[in-house]
Amino acid sequence: MHDTAQHSAGQPADGEQPEQLTEEERLLRRRTRRIDAYRKAERTLARLEMLAPLRERLALLDGVEEFYDLDEPGDLYGNGVVEALEEKVAALLGKEAAAFFPTGTMAQQVALRCWAGRTGNPTVALHALAHPEVYERDAFREVSGLRPVQLTSEPRMPSADEVRGFPEPFGALMLELPLRDAGYLLPSWEELTELVAAARERDAVVHFDGARLWDTTVHFGRRLDEIADLADSVYVSFYKSLQAFGGAALAGPRTLVEEAKTWRHRYGGAVFQQFPTVLSALAGLERELPRLPEYVTHARVVAAALREGFAQAGVAWARVFPEVPHTFDFQVWLPYGVDEVSEAAIRQSEETGRALFVNPWDEKGPGLSMTEVYVRAAALEWTAEDVRAAAADFATRLPGIGG
């Protein structure tokens, strides 16, 4: 997502020359103003740790001695506290073993490279909107010798029929759960099991890009280990939902994980010491993981209230997608330009102390913009009426309604 518009506050007085800014300068000013307003806001739907000052980030480690012995020596190249985290993740996901990685990009390349060696086929079937296709600069191809092929580019999950009918062999099926760029979408449990079965029929292994797999238990109505059991291997992130400093894990058969650790070293992922990041991941598993179902449930309340608030305010068209969120993140679409909705969102934060839309807006077509809404612990303080009122107040700052 991007910020591209100049705000209306602080315009030059009569007779003064307007300040000339490059597009990059405008973007930076917009972002700075947006984040500053968010940090100062008294109420928001999510307090995102990644946007907090360093002093607050370090406070995440306060109290970690409750679940890890800080008298233990620090980790060296993946032992000690790193191994403790790996064992915990493997148990949560019901897998034989797990390996910690500094990034998910590395973890997934290693996983699929190892599977390619076992299947003899480096082709990976995935969605065109999957993270490696959109955000990783062709790393599968350029770094790991993998060959990604796209099952579909439609903004939905791929179907079992598309897996069965794909016109060439592939060694692995990679499913992003949830599919972030399509709206944090998930299949139904029946659709997911059929997708996996279709891959098995083609003698392909199944790998879950589960960066946000932690968020899926409410939608599927299953425990984490039941969900992960469908896949041969699973990648999970520690910062996207659990608010850790960073890091990822790959879980699967012990032989695969042992080989993955060898490739982790070769890829430069055998970091000397990682205890701050690992301790923050353990903190996330202890403190945030048990609360995620509550966030998902409340996200549905927030989504419904946003729709109602826009309708009551007279917004001609608005879309919350999915209508019933599959996780605690979802999209909001409005028929206005990025400049207009960005300014409305920032002004609301600055003037009312309520930061309803804290993420940047993306242009999705002429006069059409989309933003992502995150619902976390801070949102639990908002009732449905609070959200409806905030949505209506936001709308008054839009052209043609009040702004």
Side-chain angles (χ1 to χ4, degrees):
M1 292 187 172
H2 57 273
D3 294 325
T4 55
Q6 188 174 5
H7 62 80
S8 59
Q11 291 296 318
D14 292 344
E16 292 183 6
Q17 292 297 315
E19 186 176 4
Q20 298 299 311
L21 300 175
T22 66
E23 189 69 10
E24 183 177 358
E25 288 170 335
R26 295 205 311 152
L27 184 155
L28 181 59
R29 286 198 178 189
R30 159 72 62 72
R31 183 178 187 276
T32 300
R33 182 175 167 226
R34 174 174 59 84
I35 293 175
D36 184 60
Y38 155 75
R39 285 178 171 174
K40 292 177 180 177
E42 296 175 1
R43 302 188 71 183
T44 181
L45 295 174
R47 289 292 176 193
L48 302 178
E49 298 292 342
M50 63 183 177
L51 296 180
L54 285 176
R55 186 179 304 279
E56 292 182 21
R57 293 296 280 140
L58 290 173
L60 179 64
L61 299 181
D62 292 347
V64 294
E65 64 273 10
E66 297 174 11
F67 44 83
Y68 191 80
D69 185 359
L70 297 185
D71 289 326
E72 291 288 324
D75 58 297
L76 297 175
Y77 298 111
N79 65 0
V81 67
V82 178
E83 291 177 338
L85 176 62
E86 291 171 340
E87 291 172 4
K88 187 173 183 65
V89 170
L92 284 168
L93 298 178
K95 296 298 185 185
E96 288 184 348
F100 179 80
F101 281 81
T103 72
T105 298
M106 183 187 297
Q108 299 209 105
Q109 285 188 62
V110 165
L112 291 163
R113 182 173 192 143
C114 292
W115 283 125
R118 285 161 165 74
T119 65
N121 187 339
T123 302
V124 180
L126 74 177
H127 198 291
L129 295 177
H131 196 280
E133 289 292 87
V134 179
Y135 299 106
E136 297 178 15
R137 299 189 178 185
D138 296 322
F140 273 18
R141 295 182 183 87
E142 299 297 329
V143 179
S144 297
L146 299 167
R147 179 174 173 263
V149 293
Q150 298 177 357
L151 292 166
T152 180
S153 60
E154 296 294 320
R156 56 168 173 78
M157 292 297 298
S159 69
D161 286 342
E162 287 168 331
V163 172
R164 291 191 179 97
F166 196 75
E168 59 179 297
F170 51 87
L173 170 65
M174 176 177 168
L175 295 174
E176 183 177 325
L177 300 175
L179 186 58
R180 182 265 178 95
D181 275 15
Y184 299 91
L185 294 183
L186 290 165
S188 68
W189 181 253
E190 293 72 24
E191 289 168 338
L192 180 58
T193 56
E194 190 177 358
L195 275 166
V196 171
R200 304 270 190 249
E201 291 168 16
R202 302 197 58 161
D203 296 323
V205 299
V206 177
H207 171 77
F208 285 172
D209 175 346
R212 299 172 175 85
L213 195 74
W214 315 111
D215 316 351
T216 65
T217 57
V218 173
H219 176 83
F220 287 135
R222 299 291 194 281
R223 299 189 313 271
L224 275 171
D225 59 340
E226 292 180 272
I227 299 167
D229 186 56
L230 293 178
D232 297 285
S233 59
V234 179
Y235 142 68
V236 289
S237 172
F238 295 118
Y239 71 88
K240 289 184 171 68
S241 301
L242 304 180
Q243 308 247 32
F245 296 161
L250 170 67
R254 189 170 303 280
T255 55
L256 180 87
V257 170
E258 290 306 313
E259 182 184 359
K261 289 180 178 180
T262 297
W263 283 104
R264 179 179 68 185
H265 193 171
R266 290 169 175 158
Y267 274 64
V271 180
F272 175 55
Q273 286 195 311
Q274 301 176 94
F275 64 88
T277 298
V278 172
L279 286 172
S280 73
L282 286 170
L285 290 172
E286 290 288 330
R287 298 166 181 166
E288 280 295 295
L289 182 59
R291 304 193 70 186
L292 300 189
E294 186 179 12
Y295 303 165
V296 176
T297 299
H298 197 60
R300 297 173 178 178
V301 174
V302 171
L306 284 172
R307 286 196 306 272
E308 294 162 2
F310 289 140
Q312 292 169 6
V315 177
W317 179 92
R319 182 79 185 274
V320 174
F321 186 78
E323 186 171 315
V324 177
H326 294 177
T327 69
F328 41 69
D329 300 325
F330 56 88
Q331 297 175 343
V332 169
W333 295 63
L334 289 173
Y336 295 91
V338 167
D339 288 6
E340 297 162 334
V341 287
S342 297
E343 177 62 21
I346 295 172
R347 281 179 50 209
Q348 181 180 42
S349 297
E350 292 173 336
E351 295 168 6
T352 71
R354 291 178 296 176
L356 185 61
F357 299 116
V358 302
N359 287 313
W361 293 79
D362 256 352
E363 183 179 356
K364 291 299 183 179
L368 182 63
S369 300
M370 184 274 289
T371 191
E372 293 179 340
V373 174
Y374 302 157
V375 174
R376 300 293 191 275
L380 302 179
E381 301 175 3
W382 295 58
T383 65
E385 181 53 41
D386 290 337
V387 177
R388 283 191 290 269
D393 177 73
F394 169 81
T396 65
R397 293 167 167 77
L398 295 173
I401 297 180

